[in-house]
Amino acid sequence: MFLYLEDSSKFAFSRRESFKEFLSSQDGEAFGMLGIPFDSTATYMPGARFGPSAIREASYNFEGYNLTFNRELKAPIFDLGDVSVVAGDFKETSKRIIDTLTRLLSHDLKPLILGGEHTITYPILKTIQSRDNPTIIHFDAHMDMRDHYNGKFTHATVMRRVYELEPQDIIMIGVRSASREEIEFVKEHEIEYYTSQMIQENIEEVTSKLRSIKDPVYVTVDMDVLDPSHAPMVGNPTPCGLTPFHMEKFIETISRKDIMGVDIVEVTSPVKGDQTGLNAAKILHDLLSLKS
Amino acid sequence: MFLYLEDSSKFAFSRRESFKEFLSSQDGEAFGMLGIPFDSTATYMPGARFGPSAIREASYNFEGYNLTFNRELKAPIFDLGDVSVVAGDFKETSKRIIDTLTRLLSHDLKPLILGGEHTITYPILKTIQSRDNPTIIHFDAHMDMRDHYNGKFTHATVMRRVYELEPQDIIMIGVRSASREEIEFVKEHEIEYYTSQMIQENIEEVTSKLRSIKDPVYVTVDMDVLDPSHAPMVGNPTPCGLTPFHMEKFIETISRKDIMGVDIVEVTSPVKGDQTGLNAAKILHDLLSLKS
Amino acid sequence: MFLYLEDSSKFAFSRRESFKEFLSSQDGEAFGMLGIPFDSTATYMPGARFGPSAIREASYNFEGYNLTFNRELKAPIFDLGDVSVVAGDFKETSKRIIDTLTRLLSHDLKPLILGGEHTITYPILKTIQSRDNPTIIHFDAHMDMRDHYNGKFTHATVMRRVYELEPQDIIMIGVRSASREEIEFVKEHEIEYYTSQMIQENIEEVTSKLRSIKDPVYVTVDMDVLDPSHAPMVGNPTPCGLTPFHMEKFIETISRKDIMGVDIVEVTSPVKGDQTGLNAAKILHDLLSLKS
Amino acid sequence: MFLYLEDSSKFAFSRRESFKEFLSSQDGEAFGMLGIPFDSTATYMPGARFGPSAIREASYNFEGYNLTFNRELKAPIFDLGDVSVVAGDFKETSKRIIDTLTRLLSHDLKPLILGGEHTITYPILKTIQSRDNPTIIHFDAHMDMRDHYNGKFTHATVMRRVYELEPQDIIMIGVRSASREEIEFVKEHEIEYYTSQMIQENIEEVTSKLRSIKDPVYVTVDMDVLDPSHAPMVGNPTPCGLTPFHMEKFIETISRKDIMGVDIVEVTSPVKGDQTGLNAAKILHDLLSLKS
Amino acid sequence: MFLYLEDSSKFAFSRRESFKEFLSSQDGEAFGMLGIPFDSTATYMPGARFGPSAIREASYNFEGYNLTFNRELKAPIFDLGDVSVVAGDFKETSKRIIDTLTRLLSHDLKPLILGGEHTITYPILKTIQSRDNPTIIHFDAHMDMRDHYNGKFTHATVMRRVYELEPQDIIMIGVRSASREEIEFVKEHEIEYYTSQMIQENIEEVTSKLRSIKDPVYVTVDMDVLDPSHAPMVGNPTPCGLTPFHMEKFIETISRKDIMGVDIVEVTSPVKGDQTGLNAAKILHDLLSLKS
Amino acid sequence: MFLYLEDSSKFAFSRRESFKEFLSSQDGEAFGMLGIPFDSTATYMPGARFGPSAIREASYNFEGYNLTFNRELKAPIFDLGDVSVVAGDFKETSKRIIDTLTRLLSHDLKPLILGGEHTITYPILKTIQSRDNPTIIHFDAHMDMRDHYNGKFTHATVMRRVYELEPQDIIMIGVRSASREEIEFVKEHEIEYYTSQMIQENIEEVTSKLRSIKDPVYVTVDMDVLDPSHAPMVGNPTPCGLTPFHMEKFIETISRKDIMGVDIVEVTSPVKGDQTGLNAAKILHDLLSLKS
Ligand SMILES: [Mn+2]
Ligand SMILES: [Mn+2]
Ligand SMILES: [Mn+2]
Ligand SMILES: [Mn+2]
Ligand SMILES: [Mn+2]
Ligand SMILES: [Mn+2]
Ligand SMILES: [Mn+2]
Ligand SMILES: [Mn+2]
Ligand SMILES: [Mn+2]
Ligand SMILES: [Mn+2]
Ligand SMILES: [Mn+2]
Ligand SMILES: [Mn+2]
């Protein structure tokens, strides 16, 4: 009706029609995008609340066609907006995430989550785990495997809580910072991890590992997995990280898996055009092109 | 259906339901908000394309209740998104603005426009003028009354083009910069203007003038009317401007008029939280509270 | 021993010797400065964790002599560092604030607190109230009087919680934003407030009120009481605020009272030299000069 | 006459004398530098108008001697200032570029152009093509080969328009973003392109191709060819780009060719010291050292 | 010859022809503009080296006509570029300033100096004093009257050194920060000063004083005289400063005097469009319009 | 006594007790950290005065455990604060550095110096040279080997002055900018240097050289040795620099040497969280872990 209107605050490649109409007329799957602007347990740089809008804005700098993978991005995506989080109250926020995500899954929408802090991955996986028992592919500069750090539920303990959900497996990629407690826990429980230094030397070892993991998978991307030169605006920028080229290769490999959901967290950019948002949007763009 | 979802990219006080459903069930009027992120003729600082998102984001820092005027903001507002503009092509952009606005007016929605450069006020008023013949209340550091400046349709000529539409009247508030050509034109055609220096001395002269003008009115606010200390991110920041206290008084007076539409232009903030967007959002907040 | 060493991260006018040695050799009082970098319930702009360092850094731009009040800043101040807060856990943070402050009071040090979010004022006053029953002088753009907002203990409810501590009195200065619930509560309980608009018109009414209040007093300064042009980096920048000239006059009046403590909260500047920190430091500088 | 005066707004290595005097006393060639601060068709980040001053300012951080190539920068360069562009009017701007460049070529000055948006390359090459029929070496993240995008003359169509001028050849380096239309056009017309991914794997293939191309050449550098980590301030920052090391090697190879002109476009830095301007200045510094 | 060329790095209102040709064909006086980007003794915020380019860039946002004073800016101004300063060596820099200024004065060009730190006012006045014995009108938040502060020649001692040159008189406007030593010196030597607080109350006292002072005058403007809300980027931003309205009135009064020279110092903006540069450019714009 | 207090302005891994008590109860060595915020001879970007606080702040983003090297950071470090420098007066500053460092060495504390400009390395090495005659390992984009550049003691001449102290040897790593004078001097005196281009090709050549140098060593790190993508905020950002991965390898090798002292200079970040400070802190973190 309104010829020239557009909602530039939704993800650039999302459908503008109702997802109910879409789903009733189609077979197959669609993606449901949710922003979760929660950042109350950040310990170094705050601002992950800006992540959802930063990533959506950045998506407008990408083409419908993906030259690298020679694919048109046609995957049906519905950008549902943001979960209404409660600053300072992870418990209530967690409940809301679980309720919203449960509803989303009931519509056969696969979650694409834009954080917010990494802490939110726990309620997400708590919801998904009960259905899918996925292998968790965890991109991060950190292990996030502490048992306790400023409480039980923070960005530094989230993967420990996820581990307690007993997922099929966890594999960590890009790690370069951990406490002794974490490294011991990970070794004791035979959780595989690949440091950024290893990847720098021999990326093939990781892509080959990724090819071998069992379906289904869930992908959680803490954007601090990238080097600060590529992702300066994150909660805990950590030197010696991965490059977007590394991520391109990993995403290509992962796209062949049966993916239950994806989250991209810890983007803190308050300024339009910042490359942290761009690199986060590119990860989604690549994955969604490859899934098209 | 989705309990905890919100679309934080729409204006904070806009209705989330369909405006068609709303209008069918109500008497009276509603407002239709449009962003117009066009900024191709900017000559000093670029970025007015960021205006619509800056003002919407800033609106989330305001309360539903307006303490200053002791009013609840209840006016029905529908945020329709942005007009899809064509960078570098004002002619085509202008056509799209006119088409979209015509449709909006046909639904009895009163336009609330978020610019973009001031240039967009011409197609807006071209659409409105044919119906309403309003008095134009023009807040600006500049007269924008040149006949030609980088062409016929730019931020520096827009009020000359508007004048040629023969509106009931034009009144300029907050002016402090002009060319000799402009001042001569304005004097010759007896267009009233009030400099910021005059307002600083005696604001009553202007509010009294505003009270006396004939209905209906259209309000165009170039945010550079404020002092750069209050609106640093605009296309042409100009010292010795008005304060938000001045605007509060003017808006209070204007709110008693029959307002055909409002535009707020020239906000260029790319950073969340910048006060230029806050002050623009406050002008809307005050006006809409007073109209509630 | 080390001739040329300095600790430029302490407040510029703090003593470098041990406060225990100082106190044992002196009569009279001294001030104890504490940073409390807690900001987990921020709802608009995050970063109040940067407040303590921003204010301390800014203090180095001031002279030992205060030209405005013709006084040398000689009040004995001990900058004790920051309370180790727990991001995301106000309950534990609150406990630590109370424990630390209790100890500080036991040494006859008067608290000078650098926030952090306004939320921290509750545990501070809980500690002080039991001893001193002060009149609370509350500088803020907001009432912070909601009963509930994202929980019971947030920057938007803090003065309601403080009210429940039954202090001698509360007086609010610079208010310009509130919910209807707050305004009704405040009126019902006869809590006096002065809007920034009233102050703009007639500051004498407030200074005269301030002169009349009963000792002792506690002063809490939410830096958003200043206009965003003077304090752009705060959690909730709100147009039409006070100027540093207004604060200068209020501080002069307040300095004649028996002050039990001061907090200055909501500074979010991550950049050195930002005027929000400068204006916060000036408030302390003026007060401490006048108390010298 | 004035001993200690300098004009730090000209390119650091430009001659300060009159180019007419210089040329009359010398054999051989000289370079004429022009800024073209036009950016009206920018679609993502605005500000290419700041490019000319950003690159000139950055040139002051380089030495007269070039350690990498063991050469003194002695090439005679005359920085003639900026073309007076018309914001919003590419047609008039284009005419001015052509007139100015024609004059410059008539003095045997080889153009060194500082953009501005990439759109300006069309009038530049329209002027040059009629004389020199060069091979175009096109560094860019994008193909800029659309037939139409917001009109016929924009940063996204410029190389299509250049192709229509029928230059000897076009070779594209660093591409990683295109529409399906562009990739099909390029393949159909056998325009060679090298993606950044190919270059990452095997730069030798490109340098060897560059060595084989036919003289004369024209070089157009869209600074978004670099990765956003090296050129964050450009109109369309695109992940997975080249590094300055890659550019160093390409420039070394190209310097052996007969170069008819160079443009460096899309730098949008408004802040002094930003690395986008530095990397642009380095490309010029390397090329001019190698041509000395 | 080159139709459309412009040198946007010179002051917007400066003549583009040779000042020698101009002077030979004219009677009367002309202004010579010099940048002096020296900032080695800055103690709080560095960057006054960016002052000259910040002020020149900002001048492009002003009109040839001055609406406030109803005057066309026609005064002949020659922008001669920057003095080549020596970072870290005030002695040598001082010598160069004196040599350059001496030459400038020998051509009957009146100096318009763009700092740089306030320290540069000493060599300027040393040169001028010997000829003109002016009354010094000193706008500043500080007295700069220490005898010694990090040495004899720094921004904090410059007016003491100037005092030792025995100028006709010194009058200080906008002061709000001083050491006890300075205040005592100033009182002992009967140097008049007007604090910003006094001016806030009664500006007429100062304009009337200014009217009464004896010709000729020299005007030195430390941009920190403005409030940080109007001049955030200066070496020592100091709360409770003047507004651009105050400066407008002072400049109007001063323009009736016989002015030997002007310097505007301490602008530290590295970002284009910052209001500190704008307000500095406005002071020059007003003065030069009034002198036209 | 104060349970929850912390001094977050000291280096994160420094001891909070008195170093005298510590040393009396221990054998072996400890490190003494000093900030030297001197930056008066900076020629391009100012702000190295912010280096000490930027690096200390960044240290809080690191773990006590170092995953890369599998080591706990246990080395005893005492952060003594900053040397009180004199802006604009290198001679006096130099004297204070020498006096302070002499005292520090007398307590068997090994210096860890946070600059400040590179110029400060001269007084540091003048103090150390007389005792230890170390091999100087010099990380820098520049040679800093001019005999004279804005005087005898500046960031561009510092290594020439150091050479004149006749240290055992100097080895330069990461160089990519020099004047012809410098390259000739270095070749004539057989000072070895490794350009970043060489390192990019073959890092082993440098690590092997580093292994072969004679003890003891002193390490001076000009942070511009890193590429501007990793260290954007330095005095002279220079393209084509090293990566943090390169530094990791060099530090690992150097850690096996007998290190007499370290300085890390030229960080100019005024904004918290900037990666320049992070990469500087990482160098210290790696070295101190490896020395634990
Ligand atoms: Mn992480
Ligand atoms: Mn994480
Ligand atoms: Mn305007
Ligand atoms: Mn306008
Ligand atoms: Mn508040
Ligand atoms: Mn508050
Ligand atoms: Mn491009
Ligand atoms: Mn391009
Ligand atoms: Mn000053
Ligand atoms: Mn001064
Ligand atoms: Mn260097
Ligand atoms: Mn160096």
Side-chain angles (χ1 to χ4, degrees), chain A residues 90-279:
Chain A
F90 179 66
K91 206 171 155 189
E92 173 62 19
T93 298
S94 196
K95 180 188 168 308
R96 294 182 181 192
I97 293 170
I98 289 168
D99 285 3
T100 309
L101 203 59
T102 301
R103 192 70 60 102
L104 186 144
L105 292 171
S106 78
H107 288 289
D108 281 330
L109 292 170
K110 287 198 171 173
L112 299 175
I113 310 295
L114 312 177
E117 257 186 290
H118 212 163
T119 322
I120 64 169
T121 299
Y122 176 68
I124 296 168
L125 278 173
K126 201 169 163 194
T127 319
I128 286 175
Q129 175 62 15
S130 55
R131 290 180 10 146
D132 298 320
N133 193 28
T135 300
I136 315 295
I137 305 173
H138 174 214
F139 291 96
D140 206 321
H142 310 87
M143 292 196 164
D144 296 351
M145 270 289 178
R146 277 180 162 93
D147 186 34
H148 194 282
Y149 185 85
N150 283 355
K152 280 286 187 180
F153 299 97
T154 70
H155 67 90
T157 67
V158 61
M159 293 311 292
R160 181 69 165 264
R161 294 294 89 75
V162 164
Y163 180 82
E164 292 165 358
L165 294 171
E166 300 184 11
Q168 190 178 178
D169 208 352
I170 294 177
I171 168 173
M172 295 181 168
I173 300 172
V175 179
R176 53 201 182 270
S177 182
S179 67
R180 188 179 288 280
E181 171 208 353
E182 288 173 288
I183 194 83
E184 279 164 6
F185 183 86
V186 157
K187 284 182 173 166
E188 187 187 330
H189 294 83
E190 298 182 339
I191 298 165
E192 277 181 276
Y193 69 92
Y194 298 87
T195 67
S196 50
Q197 285 85 354
M198 292 177 200
I199 293 163
Q200 183 86 343
E201 303 290 324
N202 182 2
I203 189 174
E204 258 312 302
E205 195 182 332
V206 185
T207 49
S208 135
K209 166 69 190 178
L210 283 174
R211 270 190 294 273
S212 76
I213 59 177
K214 273 204 279 186
D215 275 333
V217 302
Y218 178 87
V219 186
T220 178
V221 183
D222 181 335
M223 282 299 289
D224 70 19
V225 73
L226 288 186
D227 191 78
S229 59
H230 297 286
M233 300 302 289
V234 295
N236 295 79
T238 305
C240 286
L242 301 188
T243 69
F245 284 109
H246 292 135
M247 288 308 293
E248 221 174 44
K249 292 207 172 125
F250 293 141
I251 294 299
E252 184 174 22
T253 307
I254 290 169
S255 75
R256 299 193 198 107
K257 298 284 164 188
D258 181 21
I259 300 173
M260 291 299 101
V262 179
D263 67 57
I264 302 197
V265 299
E266 297 284 352
V267 173
T268 63
S269 320
V271 189
K272 289 179 173 64
D274 173 74
Q275 55 172 318
T276 315
L278 280 167
N279 276 307

Side-chain angles (χ1 to χ4, degrees), chain F residues 88-223:
Chain F
D89 188 345
F90 179 65
K91 205 171 155 190
E92 172 62 20
T93 298
S94 197
K95 179 188 167 308
R96 294 183 181 191
I97 293 170
I98 289 169
D99 286 2
T100 310
L101 203 60
T102 302
R103 192 71 59 103
L104 187 143
L105 293 170
S106 77
H107 288 289
D108 281 329
L109 293 170
K110 286 197 173 176
L112 298 174
I113 309 294
L114 312 177
E117 260 185 287
H118 212 162
T119 322
I120 63 169
T121 300
Y122 176 68
I124 297 170
L125 279 173
K126 200 170 163 195
T127 319
I128 286 176
Q129 175 62 15
S130 55
R131 291 180 9 147
D132 297 321
N133 193 29
T135 299
I136 315 296
I137 305 174
H138 173 214
F139 290 97
D140 205 321
H142 310 85
M143 291 196 165
D144 296 353
M145 270 291 177
R146 278 180 162 92
D147 186 32
H148 195 281
Y149 185 85
N150 284 354
K152 282 285 187 179
F153 298 97
T154 71
H155 67 90
T157 66
V158 61
M159 292 312 291
R160 181 71 163 263
R161 294 295 89 75
V162 164
Y163 179 82
E164 293 165 357
L165 294 171
E166 301 184 10
Q168 188 178 181
D169 207 352
I170 294 178
I171 167 173
M172 296 183 168
I173 300 173
V175 179
R176 52 202 183 271
S177 184
S179 66
R180 189 180 285 280
E181 172 208 353
E182 286 172 290
I183 193 82
E184 280 165 5
F185 183 87
V186 157
K187 283 182 174 166
E188 188 188 330
H189 296 81
E190 298 183 337
I191 297 165
E192 277 181 276
Y193 69 93
Y194 298 87
T195 68
S196 50
Q197 285 86 353
M198 293 178 200
I199 293 163
Q200 184 86 342
E201 304 290 325
N202 183 4
I203 190 175
E204 258 313 301
E205 195 183 332
V206 184
T207 49
S208 135
K209 166 69 189 176
L210 283 173
R211 271 189 294 273
S212 75
I213 58 177
K214 272 204 279 186
D215 274 336
V217 302
Y218 179 87
V219 186
T220 179
V221 183
D222 181 334
M223 282 299 287

Side-chain angles (χ1 to χ4, degrees), chain C residues 239-259:
Chain C
C240 286
L242 302 187
T243 68
F245 283 110
H246 292 136
M247 289 307 294
E248 221 173 45
K249 292 206 173 128
F250 294 140
I251 293 300
E252 185 175 20
T253 308
I254 291 169
S255 74
R256 297 191 200 107
K257 299 284 165 187
D258 181 19
I259 300 172

Side-chain angles (χ1 to χ4, degrees), chain C residues 163-214:
Chain C
Y163 179 82
E164 293 165 357
L165 293 172
E166 302 184 7
Q168 190 179 182
D169 207 351
I170 295 178
I171 169 173
M172 295 182 170
I173 300 172
V175 179
R176 53 201 182 273
S177 183
S179 66
R180 189 178 287 280
E181 172 208 355
E182 287 173 288
I183 193 84
E184 280 164 5
F185 183 87
V186 157
K187 284 180 174 167
E188 189 188 330
H189 294 82
E190 298 182 336
I191 297 165
E192 277 182 277
Y193 69 92
Y194 299 87
T195 67
S196 49
Q197 285 87 353
M198 293 177 200
I199 294 163
Q200 184 84 344
E201 303 291 324
N202 182 1
I203 191 175
E204 257 312 303
E205 196 183 331
V206 185
T207 49
S208 133
K209 166 70 189 177
L210 282 174
R211 270 189 294 272
S212 77
I213 60 177
K214 272 204 281 188

Side-chain angles (χ1 to χ4, degrees), chain D residues 67-86:
Chain D
L67 179 64
T68 308
F69 299 118
N70 190 24
R71 300 286 276 271
E72 202 80 34
L73 199 169
K74 287 179 305 192
I77 305 148
F78 295 92
D79 185 346
L80 305 169
D82 287 354
V83 175
S84 174
V85 303
V86 183

